[in-house]
Amino acid sequence: MSSTVLGLVRASHPEPAAAVTTVAGLLAWGVGHRPAGVAAVALTVLASQLAVGWSNDLIDADRDVAVGRTDKPVATGALRRRTLALAAVAAALVTPLVGLTTGVPAALCVTVGLVSALLYNRPLKSTPVSVLPYAISFGSLPAFVVLALPGAPAPPVWLVVAAACLGAGAHFANVLPDLADDARTGVRGLPHRLGAAGSRAAAAGLLLAATVTLVVGPPGPPSWAGLSAVAAAVLVPLVGGYAGRAAARTGGRPVAAFRSVLVVALIDVVLLVASGRVV
C-alpha cells in the first residue's frame, strides 16, 4: 500500500500541484475568504491538479516507456495503470463536487478549467493550439477563487488576463526539458514548432506580461513592490534559463525554466495579497 501511495504522489506532478494549490490558497486568503472558504478553494484546486497530473501520466505511459523515463512510476511498473486510471477519475469527479461547496458559479468555473486541462492531455498537446488549454485553465483559477466569495462577484479582467499569460508562459517553460523526447514520440505542440530558443523567449515574455498586468491593472499608481516584482519577472527567467542550459550540458533534465515560472507565480500572488487590490 505504501508503495502505491508513493507512486500516486510521484505521478501527480507534485511540484506544480503543490505550487498551484498554494497559490490558490494564498489568493483565497488575500481576497477575503474565511478559513473554511480558503480550505474549500485549496481542496478543489488540489483535486483538479491531481486529476490533471494523474491523467497526464496515464495517457503518456507508452511514450514514457519508449523514452526510458525512470521518474515515471507507471512507466517503470512501480504503479499499475488501472490504479492510476481509477485515481484520475476519482479526482476529476471530486473536483466539481467540492467546488459546489463554494457555489454554483465557482463550481462551473473550476470545471471549465479542469476540462480544458484534460483536453490538453488529449488531444490538444500535439497541435498548434497546445497553449490554449494552459491559458484557459490558469485564467479560470483566479476567476474561481473570486467567484467563490459570497455573492459571486465578477473577477477583474486584468486578474484573469494576468493568470492566462502566466499559464501560457508555464506551457512553454514546462515543455523545454522534454523537447527531444517529444520529438522522438511524435509530439508537435506549439513549443515544439517554435523550438527551444523560441519557447524560452515566449515563456520569458509571457511571464513579464503577466507581472506587468498585475502591477498596472488594479486602480491606482504602481507601487515600488510592484515595480520590484516586474524586475524579478525579468531576472528570474533569465537565471532559470541559464541554469536549465547548464543542467542540459551535464546530462540532467533542464527543469529550472519551469521552476522559474513557479517562483514568478508565487512572487505575483504575494504582491496581490500584500497590495490588497484584487476585488
Side-chain angles (χ1 to χ4, degrees):
M1 179 64 70
S2 60
S3 62
T4 298
V5 172
L6 179 60
L8 286 171
V9 171
R10 291 176 58 204
S12 69
H13 300 209
E15 204 170 76
V20 172
T21 303
T22 300
V23 164
L26 287 173
L27 184 58
W29 175 64
V31 301
H33 279 279
R34 296 189 176 188
V38 173
V41 165
L43 288 174
T44 303
V45 172
L46 176 60
S48 70
Q49 288 295 299
L50 293 176
V52 174
W54 285 335
S55 65
N56 180 275
D57 271 24
L58 181 65
I59 291 169
D60 286 351
D62 289 334
R63 293 180 52 250
D64 291 336
V65 170
V67 299
R69 288 289 296 273
T70 59
D71 59 324
K72 299 293 186 178
V74 172
T76 62
L79 183 65
R80 295 175 58 196
R81 296 191 188 195
R82 177 179 171 80
T83 301
L84 189 59
L86 290 173
V89 170
L93 293 175
V94 164
T95 298
L97 292 177
V98 179
L100 279 172
T101 64
T102 64
V104 173
L108 289 174
C109 183
V110 78
T111 302
V112 168
L114 173 61
V115 170
S116 171
L118 294 175
L119 287 175
Y120 169 78
N121 288 342
R122 180 178 287 173
L124 299 179
K125 183 175 183 176
S126 296
T127 70
V129 296
S130 61
V131 70
L132 286 182
Y134 268 81
I136 293 171
S137 295
F138 271 73
S140 69
L141 178 61
F144 159 66
V145 173
V146 175
L147 285 169
L149 287 167
V157 173
W158 56 265
L159 182 59
V160 176
V161 170
C165 288
L166 184 65
H171 174 48
F172 290 103
N174 189 39
V175 171
L176 282 172
D178 300 320
L179 284 175
D181 288 346
D182 287 346
R184 290 172 55 191
T185 53
V187 176
R188 287 278 293 166
L190 184 58
H192 309 86
R193 298 163 197 260
L194 294 180
S199 293
R200 278 194 292 267
L206 286 162
L207 290 182
L208 180 59
T211 306
V212 169
T213 302
L214 290 177
V215 172
V216 303
S223 65
W224 283 108
L227 296 177
S228 298
V230 171
V234 174
L235 294 175
V236 171
L238 290 176
V239 173
Y242 174 81
R245 290 191 293 273
R249 287 194 295 269
T250 59
R253 294 191 77 242
V255 297
F258 182 68
R259 287 175 177 166
S260 70
V261 176
L262 303 182
V263 171
V264 172
L266 288 173
I267 290 173
D268 287 347
V269 75
V270 169
L271 171 67
L272 281 175
V273 171
S275 67
R277 299 187 298 167
V278 181
V279 290

